[in-house]
Amino acid sequence: MGCVALAGMVFLVLPGLTQYAQAQYAPQSLQPEAEQLLALANEARAAHGAGPLHWDPALAAAARQHCLRMAAAGPIAHQYPGELDLSGRAGEAGAHFSLIEENVAIGPDPAAIHEEWMHSPGHRTNLLNPEVDRLGVAVVASRGVLYAVADYAHGVAQLTPAQVEAIVANLVRVSGVTVLRDPSSARAYCAGQRGANEPSFLMKWQDADLTHLPQALVERLASGRYRQAAVGSCPAENVEGSFSAYRVAVLLY
């Protein structure tokens, strides 16, 4: 068996399958087999204390396009000449994420592919990674074997600036600080400009996770020194390819 790992992407060829190159090429996408790999992955994750993976149609579409390309090429790879890389393929398909990984393989059936992934360190790490929560799988039958692609990601919701501000504002209100309705000053600071009113404290940050505030801001809010806050969102900076993140500013008065 051969195995290669590159930047979170690993692939393998199961033993006894070198004859696939001589068999007739007749690719056929197999959805039940793809869903079986999702179920097997979630069984393994539950057994190892990792959260479940949720099916992501955009990741599945990206995986299918690459899987068809693998079946056409014969030898499996993570990227072929003229093809986008993993993040580019997923982004083009409509996925939004802060982390993405990929396993590819050929094998006789989904159970065998899953078992080999579980017994290969790179594949196992991707499959059991507690940081990923979404999965798209494609399985294509060709040349007498199955080609499989599994794209794992930590999903990021596609939110408007107003939605980002509403989420962060709710987190700020927990401290008892009143959030101003007008976000213009905070949006200006977020974009690197000066607002009309100078705040007593300003925090800007960028993250894909909006479930909690930065610890330094939490401590400021807990101090009881501030009565009002403004929350602003602006476009993320220095985000490569199709990765997603949110840039936010909170002004305290």
Side-chain angles (χ1 to χ4, degrees):
M1 175 177 62
C3 180
V4 176
L6 289 171
M9 301 182 294
V10 286
F11 64 84
L12 55 84
V13 180
L14 305 190
L17 294 175
T18 55
Q19 74 275 14
Y20 76 89
Q22 286 75 42
Q24 183 177 3
Y25 169 53
Q28 178 186 7
S29 295
L30 304 175
Q31 184 65 22
E33 285 76 359
E35 293 173 352
Q36 183 180 347
L37 283 173
L38 169 64
L40 290 169
N42 277 333
E43 288 177 7
R45 289 173 65 87
H48 290 83
L53 298 172
H54 302 284
W55 184 265
D56 189 303
L59 291 177
R64 182 177 182 276
Q65 290 303 312
H66 185 63
C67 201
L68 289 169
R69 184 70 180 267
M70 287 201 315
I76 61 177
H78 287 288
Q79 186 175 12
Y80 295 95
E83 185 184 35
L84 294 173
D85 64 9
L86 171 60
S87 64
R89 296 194 302 267
E92 190 174 68
H96 298 272
F97 47 86
S98 59
L99 169 67
I100 191 164
E101 306 168 335
E102 181 175 86
N103 285 353
V104 302
I106 61 173
D109 56 64
I113 289 172
H114 173 76
E115 283 302 310
E116 291 298 333
W117 280 347
M118 287 297 293
H119 288 88
S120 172
H123 298 87
R124 181 187 178 91
T125 296
N126 285 349
L127 195 154
L128 297 179
N129 186 352
E131 298 299 319
V132 299
D133 57 11
R134 300 185 186 182
L135 175 63
V137 184
V139 177
V140 171
S142 182
R143 298 181 171 91
V145 294
L146 299 183
Y147 291 76
V149 176
D151 289 345
Y152 311 85
H154 179 82
V156 175
Q158 187 177 17
L159 302 174
T160 65
Q163 289 172 323
V164 171
E165 290 162 357
I167 291 171
V168 175
N170 285 335
L171 295 174
V172 171
R173 289 191 185 97
V174 172
S175 67
V177 173
T178 300
V179 178
L180 301 175
R181 291 185 178 182
D182 184 2
S184 58
S185 293
R187 287 182 178 181
Y189 274 100
C190 185
Q193 304 167 5
R194 301 301 294 269
N197 298 320
E198 192 70 21
S200 299
F201 177 79
L202 160 67
M203 170 151 296
K204 294 190 291 184
W205 75 95
Q206 182 167 299
D207 202 334
D209 184 2
L210 293 178
T211 61
H212 61 274
L213 299 173
Q215 185 59 32
L217 179 57
V218 172
E219 293 172 359
R220 286 280 181 163
L221 290 169
S223 71
R225 296 168 53 190
Y226 308 98
R227 301 176 64 87
Q228 295 181 321
V231 177
S233 172
C234 60
E237 296 180 351
N238 302 318
V239 178
E240 297 183 3
S242 301
F243 289 86
S244 299
Y246 303 108
R247 188 168 180 79
V248 187
V250 171
L251 284 56
L252 300 181
Y253 301 95

